[in-house]
Amino acid sequence: MGLLLGTLLLLPLLAHIPTSAAASDLVWDADTTEKPLTNAEFDKAACPDYAHYAEYSHRPLSKGPLALPFQRPDPRCRTFYSDVIEKVISEVTSRMKDPDLARLFENAFPSTTDTTVKFHTNGKDGKAKKKPSRNRWPGSGMFADEGEWEGPQSFIITGDILAEWLRDSTNQLAPYQALATKDPAIFNLILGAINTQSEYVIESPYCNAFQPPPISGLPVSLNGQDDAVHPTYEPSAVFECKYELDSLAHFLALGNEFHKHTGSKEYMNKRWYRAIETVLEVLDAQSRSTFDSTTGRYRQNEYTFQRRTNTGTETLNLAGIGNPLNNGTGLIRSAFRPSDDATIFGFFIPANAMMATELKRTAAVLRSTGARADAGLASTIESWSKNITAGIWEYGIVPHRKYGDVFAYEVDGYGSSLLMDDANYPSLLALPLMGFVESDDTTYQNTRKMLLEKSSNPYFLQGREFRGIGGPHIGLQNAWPMSLLVQVQTSDDDDEIKECLKLVLKSSKLGLIHESVDVNWPASYTRSWFAWANGVFADTILDLAKRKPHLIFKEAKRYDV
């Protein structure tokens, strides 16, 4: 029934193909991995909306017991192509024991490039529309700066919304970072993503999600909300303006990973340096306490957010300010979590840990240039990293009656803390993945045990068919497969890893990783198309291919991309 309905949905779209097209041009061979056809008569309007396409199964089915569908769009409808990506898919899937797991990787690994690269230019191909001569974004009233929107640019959406989240896009591109030296197209795609994120950070550093670049010619979208935000932002530039500290950390991470894998400093242009200075300005403003440490007087935070809503996690209390935070902690405030839910206590530990780590990495890159100015900036950045790290170890660790010292999820510097975890990255479970601690660190291991037990983590959800960490964003019956994938990447236990993979696989009947799954009825899920989650799955398989190949490959031989 699903296949039939999916076909019916495609009929009006296929009508857009010119009548002069040959019959062979109308056959969509879902099993092909060849380079997209350059058919001058093929009309992109014939491509189905992938948000609808992903809701239905498509043949050929995998040969495993789950018979998972092939969910890649027709080659002519894919948004980006790389021979190297196709090579990795072939090499990994041909070695895998489980044909269902292989099919899931085949669909998930190219999910970002197949479906979410909505605009990309290498800066020389003429794809960029003429840049506004006066404004960054039409109507913004802000004069254009030198170097703005020049060079490679990449606009990466996460799924069913024509907007880019800094966090999501960074994680979506993560599986391809190691391929950047093997394919100039991937190199330019990621370089373009860094350049585009630099523009976003400069434009509105307190915002989390952004509209298409003005040079793309793509339409803007409205989020349908009535938000009162300070600092104000330009709606033609910003999709949503929730201040999430991890968004800025992800901007740093995108460049740091690119440099790690390529050694390139090409992204370190004038716009990137300006974005770095902008990040430091936010850290300075958001490290200030609610009350002046000398006079004791209340002082207004630079960032406030209020939304007309009946959902408490969608807005900040106290007229958009949030709960009070103490001084002298060294920690940085975050108004929202990576789930886009409001924090309760603004010193959100996972984001602080990620920021501390990425600042340290950024400083190392700056020092590697040998320039005196870069050395001075590196010293400033290193100081921020050390202060945040010290603050986490002093204020972010609390005693647990069963597990001993553990990392708190959020604190306020007054002694209050929140013990929980959310599935979204960065999380406490993911602390080793971001490089803040080693996986065998005692405090982390204590924390990990706490987080994976229902009696000690209110958002560890377990039902008849599924289990995992969820969060308030979706509700109390839905766990996120992403949490199980992070659990795999932070485990050395073969049985634990196999059990997590089994749960993820069984919850992915449509051949893609969902945002969340009902723990009692996995057929009830949110988002059939969620490129970030698919990227995490791809990362997980590539991690196991190096670390524990015997668990997924026919031959226990390590595989590196």
Side-chain angles (χ1 to χ4, degrees), residues 26-76:
L26 303 182
V27 178
W28 286 24
D29 181 9
D31 200 24
T32 184
T33 55
E34 297 177 359
K35 192 170 183 177
L37 303 176
T38 56
N39 185 341
E41 293 185 322
F42 182 77
D43 187 349
K44 280 285 188 180
C47 297
D49 179 352
Y50 193 76
H52 294 301
Y53 185 86
E55 293 176 347
Y56 303 97
S57 296
H58 302 277
R59 293 181 181 276
L61 305 180
S62 64
K63 299 186 183 303
L66 295 179
L68 296 184
F70 182 87
Q71 298 295 68
R72 297 186 68 184
D74 180 89
R76 293 166 294 183

Side-chain angles (χ1 to χ4, degrees), residues 191-209:
L191 176 59
I194 300 171
N195 290 341
T196 299
Q197 284 200 10
S198 292
E199 298 295 344
Y200 289 153
V201 170
I202 293 167
E203 173 70 21
S204 292
Y206 284 100
C207 300
N208 59 322

Side-chain angles (χ1 to χ4, degrees), residues 289-509:
S289 58
T290 305
F291 302 99
D292 187 278
S293 58
T294 302
T295 66
R297 293 179 179 176
Y298 164 74
R299 54 185 175 188
Q300 177 76 40
N301 194 286
E302 182 173 341
Y303 176 84
T304 61
F305 181 100
Q306 286 183 286
R307 171 172 290 179
R308 294 180 185 273
T309 178
N310 59 4
T311 304
T313 53
E314 285 296 307
T315 191
L316 297 178
N317 63 349
L318 293 173
I321 300 165
N323 290 320
L325 299 174
N326 208 353
N327 61 68
T329 64
L331 299 171
I332 312 297
R333 178 191 187 226
S334 185
F336 289 87
R337 303 167 181 168
S339 60
D340 296 339
D341 296 321
T343 55
I344 296 174
F345 304 119
F347 292 142
F348 175 52
I349 297 302
N352 272 269
M354 184 179 184
M355 178 57 77
T357 302
E358 296 304 334
L359 286 170
K360 183 178 179 180
R361 297 176 73 196
T362 301
V365 174
L366 285 164
R367 288 197 181 280
S368 71
T369 69
R372 180 176 298 179
D374 284 348
L377 180 58
S379 295
T380 300
I381 291 175
E382 284 169 342
S383 179
W384 276 108
S385 177
K386 290 176 182 178
N387 287 340
I388 296 170
T389 301
I392 292 171
W393 287 103
E394 182 172 355
Y395 294 93
I397 296 175
V398 298
H400 189 277
R401 59 182 177 80
K402 181 177 180 180
Y403 294 111
D405 286 347
V406 297
F407 288 101
Y409 191 63
E410 296 170 0
V411 298
D412 64 359
Y414 289 105
S416 298
S417 61
L418 180 63
L419 296 183
M420 60 164 279
D421 205 15
D422 189 287
N424 286 265
Y425 182 95
S427 62
L428 292 179
L429 188 61
L431 285 174
L433 302 185
M434 64 183 79
F436 184 74
V437 293
E438 296 295 329
S439 59
D440 60 356
D441 177 84
T442 300
T443 305
Y444 171 73
Q445 282 298 320
N446 292 346
T447 307
R448 193 176 192 275
K449 293 172 185 175
M450 175 188 74
L451 300 178
L452 298 177
E453 185 172 304
K454 190 168 181 60
S455 63
S456 51
N457 177 9
Y459 290 101
F460 182 83
L461 308 176
Q462 190 162 8
R464 293 189 304 270
E465 300 288 336
F466 193 72
R467 65 166 172 79
I469 298 173
H473 195 67
I474 300 299
L476 296 174
Q477 295 194 101
N478 282 44
W480 295 47
M482 191 185 300
S483 73
L484 289 169
L485 298 170
V486 171
Q487 187 177 342
V488 167
Q489 292 186 54
T490 55
S491 175
D492 194 47
D493 185 294
D494 286 7
D495 290 335
E496 179 183 11
I497 291 171
K498 288 189 290 186
E499 177 63 19
C500 289
L501 287 179
K502 179 181 177 182
L503 287 167
V504 170
L505 194 56
K506 288 182 66 177
S507 71
S508 306
K509 298 292 179 64

